Amino acid sequence: MAYRRALIPALVGGLLITLLLWWAGASDLALQLRGSTRVFDVQSASELRRWLAPWSYDPPMTLLSDGPVDADTGGGGGTVLSGGTQYAGLYSTAMQIRFVAVFVFFLAGALLLVHRIPPTRGRTPATLLALWAWGPVAGTLAVTVSAPWLIASGGHGSYRFLPRLAGVIASSGPVVVFVSLLTAPLTVLAASVAARGAESLPRRSVPPRAARLAASVGTGVIAVSLVILSYQSVAAWIQTSFGGAGLWSEPGDLLREWLLLGGWTGPATTPLGDWLLYRVADVVMLAVVWWALRLLPGLLTRTTVPAMAAGAVCATVLGLLASQVLHMAMDDTATVWGPVHVFSQLGEGVPAALTFGIAAGIAALVTLRLAGDRDTGTAPGAGTPDALSQGRQA
């Protein structure tokens, strides 16, 4: 699909996810009313407020009070921030940046995905899943970009900055997953309408051996994080072995956030049956990633570096969501923490999925090229100049 056609559904999706997240954040006030505990139990209401807090435009009550005071003690006169008004302003700035950023990041990703995986010629399910997976990625990037202003709004922004940055990045939460689940079908619907009457390349015929080899190499990159880096002793080394000073001290939490897709230990610490069930979830994740990467080159109209990287990121997020759904089925804490707590793991690990998904996509593309798959942009069996021109435009 040409970029000018893909822009319309990308704009629809970007506006929709931004409005839905704004509406979700505004709903945080409703959970603070006394009657909310009649609809939800106390634990569920608290968990929902935790989900919605990163997208709530209203500043916390602590910022509306006198707030912290920073003073420059050097010299005779000091610069004092008078009360919480300035901090509430910083919070508003952070949320403005966050909502603009989520719109921009979703727009950019959706534009690329709809352009390279248009909902035609049997690609519609793939387009839908890719857009759903891209939503949490856009949310994570938006939270990351706005994090410095949000941390500064709490006062003492230079204290333990990197651990606090890691905490903010991890806070986008399950709400983005559910909002993306609503955004993706409507974006695909808009893309289907925009694609009417347009020429569309058929699915490429990729050599099976090259596709399997590329998927295996890409999945191996993901396994480095999920199997090797996420092992308890290695994760602990990542947590504690990197130092720093001042503003950049204690980077361990931030490194774990961007490098670890999970966490596991040997079977000695848990019953063998439970340990095996959790390892099955890891195997399912790798299987989903492998299968998605196996199909990805044939689904793309052109196997370019940005398209393969974005597709691999979406494949990794889908694998994460599949494993987290299995973990939800094994979770038996609903009676203690409330039924909403079962969904609390959704959306975890997206920063690491972004890091290793990009690497996996590039590795898979290089493997495809070395294995003999040459994507010239020409439709299979097309040798005419018109067909070649259409392939290049796609």
Side-chain angles (χ1 to χ4, degrees), residues 347-388:
E348 291 183 356
V350 172
L354 181 62
T355 301
F356 284 90
I358 293 174
I362 295 173
L365 180 60
V366 171
T367 305
L368 273 176
R369 295 291 183 260
L370 294 177
D373 179 60
R374 302 297 177 186
D375 185 1
T376 61
T378 307
T384 65
D386 290 341
L388 181 59

Side-chain angles (χ1 to χ4, degrees), residues 79-105:
T79 303
V80 180
L81 297 180
S82 58
T85 304
Q86 290 84 352
Y87 291 97
L90 278 174
Y91 183 89
S92 297
T93 301
M95 297 312 297
Q96 290 169 8
I97 294 172
R98 181 166 297 185
F99 282 108
V100 171
V102 76
F103 170 77
V104 171
F105 283 123

Side-chain angles (χ1 to χ4, degrees), residues 329-351:
M330 294 181 267
D331 196 341
D332 58 353
T333 61
T335 56
V336 178
W337 299 104
V340 177
H341 178 75
V342 176
F343 299 93
S344 61
Q345 288 187 342
L346 283 177
E348 291 183 356
V350 172

Side-chain angles (χ1 to χ4, degrees), residues 109-110 112-114 116-134 184-185 188 191 203 291-301 310-312 314-315 318:
L112 176 62
L113 291 171
V114 174
R116 290 301 180 195
I117 314 178
T120 56
R121 307 260 186 183
R123 296 185 177 100
T124 301
T127 310
L128 178 64
L129 291 174
L131 290 172
W132 178 36
W134 185 254
V188 170
R203 292 178 59 171
W291 185 250
L293 292 179
R294 165 68 178 81
L295 297 177
L296 183 61
L299 292 169
L300 293 171
T301 56
C314 293
L318 288 174

